[in-house]
Amino acid sequence: MAQTISFLLVLSLVTFSPLCFFGMANGASPLYPQFYDHSCPKALEIVKSVVAKAVAKEARMAASLLRLHFHDCFVKGCDASLLLDSSGTITSEKRSNPNRNSARGFEVLDAIKSALEKECPHTVSCADILALAARDSTVLTGGPSWEVPLGRRDSKGASLSGSNRNIPAPNNTFQTILTKFKLQKLDIVDLVALSGSHTIGNARCTSFRQRLYNQSGNGQPDFSLDQSYAAQLRTRCPRSGGDQNLFFLDFVSPTKFDNNYYKNILASKGLLSSDQVLFTKSEASMELVKKYAANSKLFFEQFAKSMVKMGNISPLTGSKGEIRKNCRKINT
């Protein structure tokens, strides 16, 4: 999904007891929020501190970190495969269409990992760092908080083809996007709630150009896009050139995590085709968009629930995978 966020899901109000576990359907070891309480008690504090500095330096970084967690989990599960650079037998997922020229924030994760290795060597996984950074980025920009189930381990491989195949694209049809979510055991409620991460961040001109000039291959713009807004977008997103020009996904409050994203969609001002189809192509998703536009508390609660659910996609636990010393490469 496009930068948020390509990219783009009552937990914020719930208090978990120390014995609260999040089991997985496949019977693997459960993830739970207290995983590092004894092995690395300062882990969560360290992640939050580094993320806070990065977001203070550049507000856009919150969306970038949130998006990395999403793009990681949709390929092989939440295993930090996205963070691996190309080397030896590994072809990096960073080269895939959804990530090339847009996935960013890797140096922030390097800084977090470096700090954690000093504090408690070989203990905290890169996959858990991604999950925590996504939560902290949400909170720092005004969004909901939730307890992050922990205990993921890192993969020893990547999947370029999986990254190209599994991650929803800005120009996918509604049905294609929903199918990609269902393949991850996420439903239409998760789809609409997680798309709300587009309340922060940017998208490149190349991600929505077809809406401005040639939506259906007939040389006509997308008429589901407010035409005065479209005219404004055309000034910096020409027919050719300017591919990397950045635009706010939510032009009303671009650095604040709120429900204006849904209000924009109601006004036909969702930037990406994948945003606007939530209102135009499905009655069920249209009703959810209306609900979240009217009630930010409801959106926040569901976003927190859906983020926990997404973070539970096929994690490696127990003796599977490894704890990488460097998030960019497997241990030697």
Side-chain angles (χ1 to χ4, degrees):
M1 296 176 87
Q3 185 71 41
T4 63
I5 66 164
S6 161
F7 191 26
L8 169 108
L9 156 312
V10 178
L11 258 161
S12 57
L13 305 177
V14 174
T15 305
F16 289 95
S17 74
L19 297 175
C20 186
F21 289 87
F22 297 74
M24 272 106 60
N26 61 11
S29 306
L31 304 178
Y32 56 101
Q34 300 79 18
F35 189 84
Y36 296 111
D37 280 7
H38 300 294
S39 61
C40 192
K42 289 186 180 172
L44 276 67
E45 185 188 316
I46 288 169
V47 175
K48 185 178 179 180
S49 168
V50 178
V51 172
K53 282 177 193 158
V55 173
K57 187 177 171 186
E58 184 196 16
R60 180 187 173 203
M61 188 53 68
S64 300
L65 294 171
L66 184 53
R67 182 174 185 252
L68 287 181
H69 183 42
F70 179 92
H71 281 212
D72 178 51
C73 289
F74 266 59
V75 185
K76 296 171 75 263
C78 307
D79 61 1
S81 61
L82 170 58
L83 305 186
L84 289 169
D85 288 339
S86 293
S87 67
T89 58
I90 295 169
T91 305
S92 178
E93 291 169 20
K94 295 172 186 176
R95 294 184 180 183
S96 71
N97 291 327
N99 294 324
R100 193 173 60 245
N101 298 324
S102 65
R104 60 196 297 280
F106 300 109
E107 69 287 348
V108 178
L109 298 165
D110 292 339
I112 295 170
K113 184 59 175 168
S114 175
L116 286 168
E117 284 299 308
K118 280 179 192 157
E119 177 69 23
C120 32
H122 206 58
T123 304
V124 183
S125 70
C126 301
D128 278 346
I129 290 171
L130 276 171
L132 288 166
R135 188 272 311 272
D136 293 340
S137 293
T138 303
V139 174
L140 283 162
T141 48
S145 186
W146 59 92
E147 291 213 74
V148 180
L150 300 164
R152 300 167 191 79
R153 287 167 65 86
D154 302 324
S155 71
K156 296 180 182 179
S159 176
L160 179 66
S161 60
S163 187
N164 278 319
R165 182 178 61 247
N166 295 356
I167 297 170
N171 58 351
N172 279 162
T173 65
F174 174 80
Q175 200 51 55
T176 297
I177 296 167
L178 183 59
T179 298
K180 288 180 178 182
F181 269 72
K182 284 182 174 175
L183 285 171
Q184 308 297 343
K185 307 287 192 294
L186 298 173
D187 58 27
I188 194 166
V189 176
D190 300 313
L191 164 57
V192 179
L194 291 173
S195 294
S197 61
H198 285 183
T199 176
I200 54 174
N202 300 262
R204 297 174 297 153
C205 164
T206 185
S207 300
F208 60 87
R209 174 184 280 124
Q210 87 285 348
R211 297 192 74 197
L212 303 180
Y213 302 103
N214 190 23
Q215 175 68 354
S216 306
N218 58 0
Q220 294 296 308
D222 181 353
F223 292 110
S224 73
L225 181 64
D226 177 87
Q227 292 307 294
S228 62
Y229 180 47
Q232 191 184 327
L233 295 171
R234 282 189 200 99
T235 61
R236 287 186 51 243
C237 187
R239 281 181 187 272
S240 62
D243 285 8
Q244 305 302 318
N245 289 353
L246 293 173
F247 296 77
F248 292 129
L249 283 156
D250 165 12
F251 68 92
V252 177
S253 51
T255 59
K256 184 167 169 49
F257 197 103
D258 56 25
N259 67 336
N260 276 325
Y261 166 80
Y262 299 103
K263 295 176 183 178
N264 295 340
I265 291 175
L266 292 186
S268 300
K269 293 178 180 177
L271 182 62
L272 306 177
S273 178
S274 56
D275 296 324
Q276 201 61 45
V277 294
L278 298 179
F279 192 71
T280 59
K281 300 297 182 184
S282 158
E283 198 167 324
S285 67
M286 178 178 76
E287 288 307 315
L288 288 165
V289 168
K290 287 179 182 173
K291 280 182 183 174
Y292 298 153
N295 188 335
S296 64
K297 181 170 174 275
L298 184 68
F299 162 49
F300 277 23
E301 287 174 357
Q302 187 55 54
F303 185 82
K305 282 183 185 176
S306 293
M307 282 297 287
V308 170
K309 194 172 168 187
M310 185 186 81
N312 222 4
I313 299 172
S314 307
L316 298 172
T317 57
S319 59
K320 294 177 183 171
E322 64 180 12
I323 306 296
R324 282 186 225 139
K325 291 173 187 157
N326 178 337
C327 291
R328 293 175 181 266
K329 56 188 183 183
I330 58 173
N331 298 336
T332 50

